[in-house]
Every structure is written in C-alpha cells, then in structure tokens.
Amino acid sequence: KQEVTQIPAALSVPEGENLVLNCSFTDSAIYNLQWFRQDPGKGLTSLLLIQSSQREQTSGRLNASLDKSSGRSTLYIAASQPGDSATYLCAVRPREGGSEKLVFGKGTKLTVNP
Amino acid sequence: KAGVTQTPRYLIKTRGQQVTLSCSPISGHRSVSWYQQTPGQGLQFLFEYFSETQRNKGNFPGRFSGRQFSNSRSEMNVSTLELGDSALYLCASSLGTKMGTGELFFGEGSRLTVL
C-alpha cells in the first residue's frame, strides 16, 4: 500500500529565505508526482507535475525534484514571500489500480514572516 | 478557460439525512475524481469516473456513491449522514485519456457540516 510522508509538518521562516519541503513515498511504482498548494478553507492549486521519467520541474521560484528509486521528492522555494504562506501537499499517482487516483501526504504548513 | 466548479460551497445537514454534491470539470476533461479531506485523515480518494463509468473506488462505505453524466459533470451522494462525514469534499478533473500521466486540477470544494 502506497504511503506518502511529508516532513516537517510545519515550518516558519523569515521573508527572503530559500527553503526545501520534503516528501517521501514507499512504493516507486508511480506514474508521476504532483505538488499542490492549499490556502485555508480553499481547494488545491497545482504547482508542479513531475512524470516518473523526469528528474525535476521548474516554475518561477519553485523547483521540484524526483528521485523515484529512493522514493523522495523535494520542493524548493527560492526567496520566500509572505504570500507563499499556505499548506503544501505532495501526491503520487500509483501505477497500481490504473486510474487518476492520487495518494496524498498530510502536508507541510508553511508560514513566511514579513 | 473556466476551472473546476463545485456546488454548493457550504452546506449543513443533520444526521440521517442525505446530500448530493455537484462537480463540473474543466471543458474537455473526461475524468472526474472525488476526495474527502478531514483534519485527522487528510485527503482520501473516494472514486473516479471516466466516460460515465467508475474506474476506481476508494475504501469508503456504500453510503458514498457517485455518477457521471454524458457531459462529464459528476455528482456524489452521501446517504444516512453521520457526524464523521463532516469534511471538505474536493472534486478534481483531468483529461483522463492517457492513463495516469495527466495533471489533476481541483475545485474549491464543498464544505459539509453534519449536526
């Protein structure tokens, strides 16, 4: 059974700092991994999608890496801003079951202080 | 291009009642998935529909059901509501045509409170 873990559960940093969020998963048989952002009481906003054959994806100040063999992904946020404060969720798409099912971690709650 | 639309956004029900939630996917997307989000369990997969057929189902009791219409819009129903069904219900859409490779896009969710 695929399990996804995100560490730390919460992180508080001063504005301008570069930071890394970690995600690990137990089964390397995945189609892809997707990072999301969730603001309080809101839905999920897709940040980056990394296919299983890729090593990393970049979008603006965000860079996500994937090491499928070790079951790890990181989300790097450069020059953090207060507007980056949110919960960041990592999700994998298992090959087992063959559908659009995602398995999520519990998230990392990020607070960027001005 | 409109995103994923969920209705209603908020609703309050009492135990024993039933509820129906609606989801309109992004135009052209044929796959609709449903997730339940609670503080204790996080995000859990309920089921996925593609071309009006359920392709996958999570580990939820039979009180949770869904369907998809020919225009790809989907509904989920929860019967005989329990206090533990209070949650944010999120709908996601994707193209769904190339198995497992597409990006999922989520709606704002329907916040259900059961009293």
Side-chain angles (χ1 to χ4, degrees):
Chain A
K1 177 188 171 187
Q2 178 74 263
E3 292 182 359
V4 180
T5 303
Q6 292 186 246
I7 294 173
L11 180 64
S12 181
V13 301
E15 182 177 2
E17 191 162 298
N18 301 326
L19 58 101
V20 174
L21 306 181
N22 296 294
C23 171
S24 62
F25 48 96
T26 55
D27 189 341
S28 62
I30 62 171
Y31 284 114
N32 54 50
L33 182 145
Q34 199 166 348
W35 282 93
F36 295 90
R37 165 188 174 137
Q38 185 174 32
D39 293 289
K42 301 288 189 180
L44 307 183
T45 300
S46 178
L47 297 174
L48 289 163
L49 170 70
I50 310 177
Q51 302 294 351
S52 62
S53 59
Q54 297 175 321
R55 298 286 290 184
E56 66 178 275
Q57 281 286 345
T58 298
S59 175
R61 295 182 294 109
L62 305 179
N63 176 277
S65 68
L66 174 63
D67 185 340
K68 197 177 64 168
S69 60
S70 68
R72 294 179 184 178
S73 176
T74 61
L75 178 66
Y76 174 83
I77 302 177
S80 59
Q81 304 169 359
D84 294 331
S85 298
T87 296
Y88 290 80
L89 294 153
C90 163
V92 298
R93 186 94 55 92
R95 286 190 176 272
E96 181 185 17
S99 78
E100 306 292 84
K101 173 184 176 179
L102 290 175
V103 178
F104 283 87
K106 293 286 180 71
T108 294
K109 184 176 181 180
L110 173 66
T111 302
V112 181
N113 301 299
Chain B
K1 192 173 184 180
V4 179
T5 303
Q6 292 189 245
T7 57
R9 290 292 314 281
Y10 304 91
L11 64 167
I12 300 173
K13 295 285 187 179
T14 57
R15 280 180 296 174
Q17 288 187 310
Q18 73 166 11
V19 66
T20 298
L21 309 178
S22 178
C23 173
S24 293
I26 292 171
S27 177
H29 285 191
R30 294 165 60 187
S31 170
V32 174
S33 308
W34 290 89
Y35 292 80
Q36 181 195 64
Q37 186 177 32
T38 59
Q41 298 298 318
L43 275 149
Q44 293 185 288
F45 173 77
L46 281 157
F47 28 65
E48 185 233 347
Y49 288 87
F50 179 81
S51 291
E52 302 179 66
T53 300
Q54 186 181 87
R55 280 204 299 201
N56 203 352
K57 189 177 189 304
N59 189 25
F60 278 82
R63 300 185 297 107
F64 292 81
S65 63
R67 59 178 175 169
Q68 186 180 34
F69 303 96
S70 58
N71 62 357
S72 294
R73 189 178 70 86
S74 176
E75 289 181 347
M76 67 162 284
N77 184 77
V78 187
S79 62
T80 317
L81 285 166
E82 301 177 359
L83 295 178
D85 297 332
S86 294
L88 180 65
Y89 290 88
L90 292 161
C91 166
S93 81
S94 65
L95 287 170
T97 49
K98 193 172 182 182
M99 184 68 71
T101 59
E103 191 172 2
L104 264 67
F105 297 90
F106 282 77
E108 290 292 317
S110 292
R111 170 74 65 184
L112 170 65
T113 301
V114 181
L115 302 177

